Amino acid sequence: MSERVGIAILGAGIFAKEAHLPAIQAAGDKVVLRAVYSRSEGSAGTFAAFAQSTLNIDVPFYHDGGDPTKSLDSLLAREDIAAVIVVLPINTQPEIIVKALKAGKHVLSEKPVARDVASALKLIKTYEEEYKPKGLIWRVAENFEVEPGYLFAKKVIADGEIGKLQYFNLSLVAFVDESSKWYQTPWRTKPEYQGGFLLDGGVHFTALLRTILPSPITEVSAFASLNKAILAPHDTINAILRCADGTHGIWELSFGSPSSTRGALNATSITGTEGWIQIGNTQKDGKTHIKVDVHKGDETKTTVLPSCGVEKELEHFLELLGGRDEGFGEPRSVLKDVAFIEAALNSEGNLIKL
């Protein structure tokens, strides 16, 4: 794009600071941060100060502290802000997304698309009927969908390098206790939405399979359980899946590991008639990378790519504003991730069609 896009971040939590702000910095002259907003004046001011020191620019902040000139409405009325990144609690986001669209702003909102399928469908319907016809763009920030490592694995499979797919396995086991920075976020400590961490974090791993598998998941049978009381209502799902083309697999997700020695395990394997792929995280130069091993016979080819999905999702969003649409973050696509989690939470071992 020839001109820098004026953007605002709505939300001042951990992910806004540690992921979205660096993504804006990495975008360089394609974008400029015009403002930040948080419901709390204190958190808004703290985040603005951090953003100013990071980007070396003045960043005004807005909040719900009572001053109408510093309200969210005032931020959304600014003509120099074309788009907003919404990084707010899951239950809060739909209202803010609609508010921003109503003000004429393009929106990139954090995953999940909504707290449940019904809420997501209502939000999508509102967007498609009222705001999309006006040329306004809304996409959901699902960074696993654009991770270079996962897209590389997708291409290996699509190119037939491991033959016809037969089965797959995804396993994530994580250790979360009261000292976790994520657990200490109040709306995560006492979640008012289904699944707790399983929804908030689990949609990443349904998106991973949705991204790399050539055929959509159509059926799931699962059991959900709570193994650590602090992670209510559920912290573990064990599921078996089947895709439209008959490929099947196992999906294991737990945040309820009893010990840090059991987590974090993050491994995905895809097996075909002529080989198999193993995908996992690794550290390189102090940063997370995605490692993809392609096994064929006695030969293994390893590719290691940086984990930079948040940077990529912003990059694709800006390209979309400029007219180039690669389909990433489309609301009806990411809705499938919520539908999967919802089905798995309610399956009780019964087969559910997605």
Side-chain angles (χ1 to χ4, degrees):
M1 300 180 65
S2 57
E3 296 183 5
R4 292 197 299 175
V5 176
I7 207 161
I9 298 179
L10 310 186
I14 298 169
F15 210 65
K17 178 179 179 181
E18 296 184 359
H20 286 287
L21 188 61
I24 288 175
Q25 185 177 31
D29 60 5
K30 296 178 182 177
V31 64
V32 57
L33 182 64
R34 299 288 190 193
V36 299
Y37 159 83
S38 178
R39 292 169 294 175
S40 160
E41 181 177 359
S43 61
T46 299
F47 183 43
F50 181 79
Q52 287 176 187
S53 64
T54 300
L55 303 176
N56 197 30
I57 59 172
D58 181 53
V59 182
F61 63 92
Y62 296 75
H63 52 84
D64 296 342
D67 181 351
T69 66
K70 292 295 183 179
S71 69
L72 178 57
D73 287 337
S74 293
L75 182 155
L76 294 175
R78 287 179 51 177
E79 294 184 357
D80 61 342
I81 296 175
V84 297
I85 302 174
V86 183
V87 199
L88 290 165
I90 291 171
N91 285 351
T92 304
Q93 289 207 147
E95 177 186 355
I96 302 302
I97 291 168
V98 172
K99 190 179 186 72
L101 289 168
K102 189 175 181 179
K105 308 304 181 187
H106 304 296
V107 177
L108 178 65
S109 63
E110 257 302 326
K111 57 76 203 163
V113 60
R115 61 182 292 170
D116 53 39
V117 172
S119 301
L121 286 172
K122 180 180 178 181
L123 180 59
I124 291 170
K125 183 174 184 290
T126 298
Y127 168 66
E128 291 180 343
E129 292 182 356
E130 298 183 28
Y131 301 108
K132 189 175 182 179
K134 297 178 180 179
L136 290 170
I137 292 167
W138 168 43
R139 289 295 163 97
V140 179
E142 175 45 74
N143 52 301
F144 276 36
E145 197 179 40
V146 291
E147 280 288 359
Y150 300 148
L151 293 176
F152 173 77
K154 175 183 180 178
K155 186 176 187 304
V156 168
I157 293 169
D159 289 347
E161 291 189 37
I162 60 170
K164 185 180 184 299
L165 262 60
Q166 295 180 308
Y167 53 88
F168 54 87
N169 180 287
L170 183 150
S171 179
L172 170 76
V173 179
F175 173 70
V176 178
D177 65 6
E178 292 93 334
S179 67
S180 165
K181 64 182 180 182
W182 304 110
Y183 180 78
Q184 291 178 8
T185 307
W187 60 271
R188 290 189 177 97
T189 304
K190 294 183 178 180
E192 297 179 349
Y193 47 86
Q194 63 179 339
F197 274 79
L198 292 171
L199 177 67
D200 186 28
V203 289
H204 283 313
F205 297 92
T206 62
L208 193 162
L209 289 183
R210 176 171 57 82
T211 297
I212 65 178
L213 294 176
S215 180
I217 297 168
T218 55
E219 295 173 291
V220 57
S221 173
F223 288 99
S225 61
L226 176 64
N227 299 283
K228 295 176 76 169
I230 65 168
L231 300 179
H234 300 91
D235 60 23
T236 299
I237 292 174
N238 294 95
I240 54 174
L241 324 173
R242 184 159 57 193
C243 298
D245 64 357
T247 306
H248 53 83
I250 299 170
W251 191 87
E252 174 191 30
L253 179 68
S254 180
F255 293 95
S257 171
S259 168
S260 59
T261 60
R262 177 70 173 95
L265 169 66
N266 178 8
T268 301
S269 62
I270 314 289
T271 302
T273 54
E274 298 177 21
W276 64 289
I277 295 175
Q278 186 171 24
I279 307 166
N281 291 349
T282 188
Q283 294 295 311
K284 183 179 180 182
D285 301 325
K287 296 182 179 180
T288 300
H289 286 62
I290 295 172
K291 180 183 177 186
V292 181
D293 293 318
V294 181
H295 305 270
K296 297 184 69 174
D298 296 330
E299 182 181 355
T300 299
K301 292 182 179 179
T302 298
T303 300
V304 178
L305 295 169
S307 177
C308 53
V310 178
E311 293 178 12
K312 289 296 182 181
E313 68 192 8
L314 177 59
E315 179 182 314
H316 288 296
F317 181 67
L318 295 173
E319 289 177 352
L320 177 56
L321 297 186
R324 181 185 177 190
D325 186 1
E326 296 186 69
F328 296 119
E330 208 284 326
R332 288 194 177 273
S333 294
V334 296
L335 170 61
K336 297 175 183 177
D337 305 329
V338 175
F340 177 95
I341 297 294
E342 188 168 303
L345 288 171
N346 292 285
S347 168
E348 290 292 342
N350 296 305
L351 187 65
I352 296 180
K353 293 185 180 297
L354 300 175

